[in-house]
Amino acid sequence: MTVQSALSATDRLNLLRMMVLIRTFEEAILREYHADKSPGFDIGAGLVPGEMHLAAGQEPVAAGIGAHLSLGDAMTATHRPHHLAIAHGVDMRKMAAEIFGRETGLGRGRGGHMHLFDPEVHFSCSGIVAEGLPPALGQALAFQRAGTDKVAVAVAGEGAANSGAFHESLNLAALWKLPVVFVIEDNDWGISVPRSASTSVPSNAVRAASYGIPGTRVEDNAVEDIWAAVGEAVRRARAGEGPSLIEVHTLRLWGHFEGDAQGYRGDLEGVPGRDPIPTYQKHLTDAGILDDGAFTEMGAAASATVEEAIAFAKSSPLPDPADALKYVFTEGAQS
Amino acid sequence: MSTAPTTQIQLPLEPEAGRRKLSTAKAMVEAIAQQMHTDEKVFVMGEDVGAYGGIFSSTTGLLDEFGPERVIDTPISETAFIGLGIGAAVEGMRPVVELMFADFFGVCMDQIYNHMAKIHYESGGNVRVPMVLMSAAGGGYSDGAQHSQCLWGTFAHLPGMKVVVPSNPYDAKGLMTAAIRSDDPVIYLFHKGIMGLGWMKKNPRSIGAVPTDAYEVPIGKARVAREGKDVSIVTLSLSVHHSLDVAEKLASEGIDVEVIDLRTVVPLDREAIVASVGKTRRLVVVDEDYQSFGLSGEVIATAAEALPGGLKHVSRVAVPDVPIPYARDLEYSVLPTPARIEAAVRQAVAG
């Protein structure tokens, strides 16, 4: 039995459906982000202020992970978190509201798009490269101690694999056989620095060998291969066999952040042809389980969900500036 | 989020100390053990906290009592295990994590100030991090510049962490109990010189009366360690004892010194500072942390803001912004010694 054949037609359509939903969300944020930042790009202006890191092109990673997780499993993500949050089941309305800095947002407007916390689904992310990994170990420890088979998935970019937090986390998770799945999104770029200038290791997956755990690299942003690799890693973790490391060669379709002119990129010409969504759409169409009508319907459903979330966010109240000191500590503002 | 209380919160009354005496280290361990018995979610983790019992005896005996599942030796990977503590706390456990020396915070500071301290705020109050990060602070035993710092001002400068600094066994137990029970992240800094260790010059007050039962010393409340009317020394940790020694010496000359033991740096008990300085109108801040941009300046600013024009004297005795030297005479020339404190008090009352 090949890996792909383990996926039913429904599973495969669901992977595509998730990718389309994520892309639709990112396109809507892109639209809203740029809507009122002119004349002259002003990063702090508009309804969605601040840096914005969008994940277009990296949807297969999120879809492939999300398909294996259920309520109670944890995920820690990076500063580019939306795709992972959506695939993990974070409330899209509250997430959109947080991105818009509203009181109804996940963090009541205190966090912003790089700092999304949804305890309902055990999701968090970090704005600091590699530093989202260590907390996942603790979530995994808590699950292990509670006698559950829940897992924690810790996602980082390929730049993070050169950081101390990455190596400390792999070592400790391996030592204590924690139910963690480490996933590296290799989108070739650490902001403007190509991975070839960051490390001499051709695949970060080989670094798993240093800690005696399995390492797998998935090429070509292939969602079904990602699904298979994550499935095996999650199975191992749930069975008490410890952590695994997966690196996915994915794609950053857009800039590091919105407003990034990407003058440093020599690969941009070929990028649209590598967009994983039309690629997978064609794959499923060729396999005879998708037609144009069904794909259009998928897009329309995603659009309805996303626009409802955006509308909720835009119509939500802004936080009261007088409340800016709330939530430093659990009982409220302190000296 | 609840609204501000309309009535004064009644803090738990601290029990009488009784007659049983413990060292500060044993008082700390007793607090941890009692909370581990009470709450199975409490566990201890860090370097050499198991069989060794903590380099400064902060966990002695816990491994025998609770076993390796709850008293966990870690590799030398502070970023990973402090971050692990954060994740475990987020999931409802109550970790007590030891960073062996406060001086080591540099290798793991991101987890401390960007994650442990900020998650509650960034989540709009939806995620709690009930974690204690305890660490040894302070010098005076020639351990050099990378093993003798206090650094409480650094932690206190960054919002989101409570910072407690006991000076004696009674407070050590009560503050540890309060810290473990707190739903906020608490940095618990114990000065090596007050632990009552057999291999270090003993401060006579490092062994003192401690109640047997569990009790809390409320976080954020200073203590009047000695009442006086002429000059206020506002201080904490080992410097409390130096200040009390100086106060006793000067009492025979008719100089009446009040000593305020802050006990907690965050939240700072500004009311206690203002009440004391408002009475004496002379302030000497004694702080074993670096002088500039830290606690001593904050205490003085607090007094100055509350009592404009009301201060007859302000000065500080702190480490004058140099790395802590190794050679004994050099080290003691920069530490806030009783001699320096005494000189500052004499100057305060002369003015």
Side-chain angles (χ1 to χ4, degrees):
Chain A
M1 189 166 87
T2 67
V3 160
Q4 279 77 8
S5 69
L7 275 162
S8 70
T10 306
D11 291 336
R12 300 171 87 182
L13 290 170
N14 282 341
L15 289 174
L16 181 63
R17 186 173 290 113
M18 180 56 73
M19 289 163 62
V20 168
L21 177 64
I22 292 166
R23 179 68 60 84
T24 306
F25 182 82
E26 296 287 63
E27 285 173 343
I29 294 295
L30 182 67
R31 178 191 74 213
E32 298 295 333
Y33 185 78
H34 285 288
D36 44 12
K37 283 191 166 50
S38 57
F41 182 74
D42 177 354
I43 194 166
L47 283 176
V48 182
E51 274 190 82
M52 177 54 62
H53 313 83
L54 296 172
Q58 299 181 195
E59 297 90 348
V61 185
I65 298 170
H68 295 286
L69 303 184
S70 53
L71 195 62
D73 292 322
M75 181 185 281
T76 68
T78 72
H79 61 284
R80 194 183 304 285
H82 302 164
H83 58 318
L84 298 160
I86 292 168
H88 193 55
V90 169
D91 186 312
M92 191 185 283
R93 287 156 50 107
K94 290 183 184 172
M95 181 165 108
E98 186 60 27
I99 293 168
F100 278 78
R102 304 299 168 125
E103 186 66 26
T104 53
L106 287 170
R108 297 183 164 100
R110 273 76 171 171
H113 109 99
M114 285 189 278
H115 313 110
L116 305 170
F117 295 87
D118 189 347
E120 299 288 319
V121 296
H122 305 258
F123 180 88
S124 64
C125 54
S126 168
I128 313 292
V129 167
E131 297 286 338
L133 303 184
L137 310 184
Q139 293 179 293
L141 180 86
F143 298 156
Q144 189 185 60
R145 290 294 170 94
T148 72
D149 70 345
K150 295 301 177 191
V151 302
V153 178
V155 184
E158 89 283 349
N162 305 312
S163 150
F166 170 83
H167 294 281
E168 287 190 22
S169 297
L170 261 66
N171 180 62
L172 198 55
L175 182 69
W176 293 354
K177 281 202 181 307
L178 295 172
V180 185
V181 178
F182 297 101
V183 179
I184 298 177
E185 296 181 295
D186 171 16
N187 66 16
D188 289 323
W189 297 97
I191 306 184
S192 68
V193 176
R195 66 166 291 146
S196 59
S198 317
T199 179
S200 59
V201 181
S203 161
N204 284 306
V206 304
R207 290 175 150 166
S210 309
Y211 306 104
I213 64 174
T216 307
R217 182 169 161 98
V218 178
E219 297 295 348
D220 299 327
N221 219 5
V223 66
E224 294 188 7
D225 293 346
I226 297 165
W227 178 90
V230 173
E232 170 56 15
V234 168
R235 184 205 62 74
R236 272 177 48 82
R238 291 201 201 286
E241 295 169 26
S244 308
L245 172 65
I246 297 164
E247 179 168 70
V248 178
H249 189 205
T250 186
L251 171 72
R252 198 184 81 201
L253 204 48
W254 302 338
H256 167 68
F257 51 78
E258 285 314 305
D260 175 4
Q262 300 194 84
Y264 52 87
R265 269 184 94 159
D267 65 335
L268 276 180
E269 214 166 287
V271 159
R274 292 168 55 205
D275 187 332
I277 291 181
T279 304
Y280 194 49
Q281 178 199 354
K282 181 173 186 306
H283 188 70
L284 296 190
T285 304
D286 291 349
I289 60 172
L290 181 74
D291 58 30
D292 287 351
F295 185 69
T296 304
E297 210 169 283
M298 223 177 247
S303 192
T305 304
V306 167
E307 293 308 330
E308 200 278 328
I310 299 286
F312 170 77
K314 290 169 87 168
S315 64
S316 287
L318 292 162
D320 183 347
D323 288 341
L325 303 188
K326 271 189 182 177
Y327 311 120
V328 176
F329 294 118
T330 51
E331 72 275 29
Q334 289 285 356
S335 63
Chain B
M1 184 58 219
S2 60
T3 53
T6 51
T7 54
Q8 187 72 31
I9 295 170
Q10 287 297 311
L11 292 163
L13 284 176
E14 296 171 36
E16 291 297 322
R19 300 179 65 171
R20 185 189 61 138
K21 292 194 170 182
L22 291 180
S23 68
T24 303
K26 285 184 177 160
M28 273 177 66
V29 173
E30 185 169 278
I32 297 169
Q34 285 177 340
Q35 295 313 299
M36 289 179 80
H37 278 298
T38 305
D39 186 349
E40 64 179 17
K41 291 176 176 168
V42 180
F43 69 99
V44 176
M45 180 171 60
E47 292 146 355
D48 305 292
V49 299
Y52 194 105
I55 294 298
F56 299 103
S57 302
S58 57
T59 59
T60 302
L62 292 177
L63 177 67
D64 288 343
E65 198 170 351
F66 296 100
E69 293 281 300
R70 295 184 71 194
V71 182
I72 308 168
D73 272 329
T74 63
I76 302 170
S77 306
E78 289 88 352
T79 292
F81 74 74
I82 290 174
L84 188 153
I86 295 165
V90 162
E91 294 298 335
M93 298 182 81
R94 299 187 91 84
V96 178
V97 182
E98 180 164 285
L99 173 65
M100 188 185 289
F101 286 74
D103 312 70
F104 300 171
F105 81 91
V107 297
C108 51
M109 193 56 163
D110 185 75
Q111 286 301 320
I112 297 170
Y113 88 114
N114 269 327
H115 291 84
M116 183 188 81
K118 288 179 180 158
I119 286 173
H120 184 262
Y121 188 81
E122 289 174 325
S123 71
N126 289 320
V127 180
R128 294 181 172 194
V129 188
M131 169 169 165
V132 181
L133 182 61
M134 64 176 176
S135 192
Y141 62 113
S142 288
D143 218 14
Q146 297 173 3
H147 290 72
S148 301
Q149 299 166 97
C150 289
L151 299 171
W152 40 66
T154 304
F155 294 107
H157 180 66
L158 301 160
M161 304 169 253
K162 292 186 171 172
V163 181
V164 302
V165 189
S167 69
N168 59 65
Y170 179 93
D171 287 359
K173 180 174 173 183
L175 283 170
M176 179 58 81
T177 302
I180 295 172
R181 289 176 179 172
S182 169
D183 282 338
D184 292 308
V186 179
I187 306 282
Y188 183 107
L189 292 166
F190 54 89
H191 196 294
K192 301 142 196 164
I194 62 149
M195 291 291 271
L197 304 171
W199 48 278
M200 206 171 265
K201 185 185 171 189
K202 269 206 183 67
N203 181 287
R205 296 187 195 84
S206 60
I207 295 175
V210 178
T212 306
D213 291 342
Y215 62 96
E216 291 186 36
V217 165
I219 293 172
K221 286 287 166 194
R223 174 179 71 104
V224 181
R226 184 187 192 283
E227 286 193 38
K229 60 179 171 35
D230 294 331
V231 55
S232 301
I233 298 179
V234 175
T235 187
L236 73 174
S237 193
L238 179 63
S239 300
V240 171
H241 305 303
H242 295 335
S243 300
L244 289 171
D245 292 342
V246 168
E248 281 164 23
K249 179 180 177 187
L250 295 180
S252 61
E253 298 178 28
I255 301 171
D256 193 12
V257 179
E258 180 150 297
V259 178
I260 303 294
D261 179 353
L262 288 171
R263 287 173 151 176
T264 301
V265 183
V266 179
L268 186 63
D269 190 348
R270 297 178 196 272
E271 282 180 23
I273 295 166
V274 172
S276 179
V277 180
K279 180 175 70 174
T280 64
R281 301 177 70 190
R282 294 181 177 88
L283 170 61
V284 175
V285 185
V286 181
D287 182 12
E288 200 185 309
D289 205 347
Y290 301 119
Q291 175 165 310
S292 299
F293 314 104
L295 175 64
S296 59
E298 189 59 36
V299 170
I300 290 168
T302 298
E305 284 171 351
L307 306 161
L311 298 171
K312 288 183 183 167
H313 172 92
V314 172
S315 63
R316 47 185 160 172
V317 181
V319 174
D321 303 334
V322 290
I324 309 292
Y326 161 69
R328 183 177 172 82
D329 289 350
L330 289 177
E331 182 178 23
Y332 276 81
S333 76
V334 304
L335 290 176
T337 52
R340 287 180 65 202
I341 298 167
E342 182 183 332
V345 172
R346 288 186 184 282
Q347 199 177 17
V349 294

